[in-house]
Amino acid sequence: MAIASIKEVAQLASVSVGTVSNVLNRPDTVSPATRERVLNAMNELGFVRNESARALRSGRTRTIGLVVLDVTNPFFTDVVKGVEAAADANGMIISLCNSDQDGPRERRYLDHLEEQRVQGILITPVEGETEQLEQLIERGTPVVLLDHRATGRNRCSAAVDDVLGGGLAAEHLLSQGHRRLAFVGGPHTISQVAERYKGASETVTAAGGVVGRAAARGDGVAPDAPERVAGNGTLPGAAEVPSLVRVDVPSLSLASGRHAAESLAAMPAEQRPTALFCANDLLALGIMHGLTVAGLRVPEDVALIGYDDIDYAEAAAVPLSSIRQPRKELGRVAAELLLEEIDEGERHRHRQVLFQPELMVRASSVRR
C-alpha cells in the first residue's frame, strides 16, 4: 500500500496543503479545531512525515550528533540517557558515535555528521579542541564539549572539575596512612586523565611528597625517573615521604586494568604501591580482578579508588570507593546548551558549566 501524500491529507481534511504543512512545522499557527481535523486525517490515511524532504528544504535534519569515548563504559551510558532526555523533549533525535578513544576514528565521525547536516554536535574529544572542531564551528555547526572543559569562551561546555576529583582521591588515600601511591590511567592526551592525575600529583606534592612516572610493562612496573623515585616509589631513606608514581596504560578499560594488575602484582611487596588511584572505575574493577587472581587482597594489600561511581562500583565483590560524577545531569545540561545555541544562533552567549565531584568512600580503600 502506498504511503499517503500531504495533498491527500489536505483533501480529506478540506484544507490547503499549506495548512497541513503548518500543522507539521508550525502547529501553534493553526487553530485547535483545524489542527485536530488535519491530525485525524493523517491518522485515517496512515500519513508518515517525509523527514528527508523536510531536511532537504531546510538544509538541516532534526538530529544532533553525540560522539563519546567508549559506549561500553557505563558512565557514558548514563550520560547518553541525560542527552536523550533533553533531545526528546525538544523533538530531536541523537546520532550516537563511538570514537573508542581513537583520534582518526573520531575525525571520520565528525566528517560524517557534518555531511549528514546535523543541527549540532556534542563531543567528548579524544585529543582536545582540535582544528577540525574549530572548522566545524566556523562553517556553522554548533559544537558543545561534553565532559571536557572549554579552554576558551567561544564555545559551550559541560564538565566536572577533574583536578578537584583527583585531589579528593589522593587526599583520601593519604588520610588512610598510605605513602606509596600510584595513579593508573591513560592515554594522557585525554584531558580527563591528565586533569585527574594533575589533581592527585598536586595533592601529594602539597603533602611534602614526590611524583614520578612509570609504565605498565609485561615484566613489572618500571620507573622512568630513577633519579627521583626509588624502587618503592619514595625517596631513598625516606620511607614516610608520600610519593605518587604514574602508571600509564593504553586505554580506560577492564583489560588495561587487568594487565596493570599483573605488572603490579609481580613487584616485590616492599616496592609495590599500597594504594592505587585509577582514572576510571573500569580500570579499577579490572585491577581488582587481576589482583585477586594474583592472590593479593583489596584493601589489605592494595587499596583502590576509582572515578565515575558507575553502578557496578558499589556492587563489586569489594565495594569500590570512587569519585562520583553527576552523569545524567552532565549529559542533560550539555544537550540543553547545544539546543539553546541551535535555537538562538548568533544571539547565543556561550557558557561553561562546571560540576563538582563527590568522594564516595567504600571498603576498597579503607584500612581494616
Side-chain angles (χ1 to χ4, degrees), residues 205-236:
T205 301
V210 294
V211 176
R213 183 175 176 184
R217 299 170 183 165
D219 56 351
V221 176
D224 289 339
E227 71 281 3
R228 293 195 59 201
V229 183
N232 65 355
T234 67
L235 287 173

Side-chain angles (χ1 to χ4, degrees), residues 66-83 96 98 101 123-124 146-147 190 192 252 280 308 310 327 330:
L66 173 58
V67 186
V68 298
L69 292 175
D70 181 7
V71 293
T72 66
N73 187 336
F75 167 78
F76 285 110
T77 301
D78 288 340
V79 168
V80 170
K81 287 180 180 177
V83 173
L96 177 61
N98 174 35
Q101 303 175 47
I123 183 170
T124 306
L146 170 59
D147 195 32
I190 297 174
Q192 296 92 322
L252 301 169
N280 77 352
D308 292 338
I310 62 177
R327 304 179 297 275
L330 187 65

Side-chain angles (χ1 to χ4, degrees), residues 66 68 75-76 78-86 122-124 144-149 156-162 192 196 307-308 324-338 352-357:
L66 173 58
V68 298
F75 167 78
F76 285 110
D78 288 340
V79 168
V80 170
K81 287 180 180 177
V83 173
E84 188 177 41
L122 291 165
I123 183 170
T124 306
V144 170
L145 302 179
L146 170 59
D147 195 32
H148 182 102
R149 281 203 236 188
C156 290
S157 65
V160 175
D161 190 340
D162 285 320
Q192 296 92 322
R196 292 166 195 177
Y307 207 105
D308 292 338
R324 174 178 289 176
Q325 302 195 76
R327 304 179 297 275
K328 291 181 183 177
E329 183 75 356
L330 187 65
R332 182 187 64 78
V333 168
E336 288 176 350
L337 289 171
L338 181 62
Q352 293 78 39
V353 179
L354 190 64
F355 291 94
Q356 300 300 297

Side-chain angles (χ1 to χ4, degrees), residues 180 231-232 264-274 296 301-302:
R180 298 200 305 269
N232 65 355
L264 290 160
M267 296 179 68
E270 66 274 11
Q271 297 180 8
R272 184 187 308 122
T274 64
L296 294 174
D301 298 315
V302 181

Side-chain angles (χ1 to χ4, degrees), residues 62-228:
R62 293 194 62 77
T63 304
I64 58 175
L66 173 58
V67 186
V68 298
L69 292 175
D70 181 7
V71 293
T72 66
N73 187 336
F75 167 78
F76 285 110
T77 301
D78 288 340
V79 168
V80 170
K81 287 180 180 177
V83 173
E84 188 177 41
D88 184 62
N90 287 270
M92 292 282 192
I93 61 172
I94 300 168
S95 180
L96 177 61
C97 303
N98 174 35
S99 69
D100 206 24
Q101 303 175 47
D102 183 282
R105 184 172 181 175
E106 174 187 277
R107 291 191 285 274
R108 291 194 298 272
Y109 274 131
L110 290 174
D111 286 340
H112 174 74
L113 291 171
E114 187 176 25
E115 289 168 3
Q116 294 300 311
R117 300 293 191 268
V118 295
Q119 294 265 10
I121 294 173
L122 291 165
I123 183 170
T124 306
V126 177
E127 298 171 345
E129 298 167 61
T130 62
E131 183 179 350
Q132 185 178 21
L133 291 179
E134 293 285 355
Q135 291 172 347
L136 277 169
I137 294 169
E138 290 173 3
R139 290 194 290 263
T141 300
V143 174
V144 170
L145 302 179
L146 170 59
D147 195 32
H148 182 102
R149 281 203 236 188
T151 56
R153 296 290 179 180
N154 66 332
R155 72 202 58 172
C156 290
S157 65
V160 175
D161 190 340
D162 285 320
V163 175
L164 174 60
L168 290 173
E171 187 178 84
H172 168 64
L173 294 174
L174 291 171
S175 75
Q176 292 296 306
H178 294 285
R179 292 298 176 263
R180 298 200 305 269
L181 278 61
F183 173 84
V184 185
H188 280 254
T189 52
I190 297 174
S191 67
Q192 296 92 322
V193 175
E195 290 184 2
R196 292 166 195 177
Y197 172 68
K198 180 179 185 226
S201 61
E202 287 177 350
T203 298
V204 170
T205 301
V210 294
V211 176
R213 183 175 176 184
R217 299 170 183 165
D219 56 351
V221 176
D224 289 339
E227 71 281 3
R228 293 195 59 201

Side-chain angles (χ1 to χ4, degrees), residues 14 19 26 30 32 57 78 87 97 115 125 140 150 170 194 212 235 293 299 309 320 348:
S14 299
T19 299
R26 295 176 295 278
V30 183
R57 289 192 300 272
D78 288 340
C97 303
E115 289 168 3
L235 287 173
V293 170
D309 196 33
L320 178 67
H348 180 70

Side-chain angles (χ1 to χ4, degrees), residues 257-332:
R258 286 193 292 267
H259 292 150
E262 292 172 3
S263 297
L264 290 160
M267 296 179 68
E270 66 274 11
Q271 297 180 8
R272 184 187 308 122
T274 64
L276 306 177
F277 167 36
C278 301
N280 77 352
D281 286 344
L282 289 184
L283 270 176
L285 293 171
I287 284 177
M288 184 182 293
H289 177 262
L291 292 177
T292 301
V293 170
L296 294 174
R297 300 165 300 166
V298 175
E300 290 86 352
D301 298 315
V302 181
L304 271 179
I305 184 167
Y307 207 105
D308 292 338
D309 196 33
I310 62 177
D311 291 340
Y312 299 126
E314 190 172 10
V318 179
L320 178 67
S321 295
S322 187
I323 303 298
R324 174 178 289 176
Q325 302 195 76
R327 304 179 297 275
K328 291 181 183 177
E329 183 75 356
L330 187 65
R332 182 187 64 78

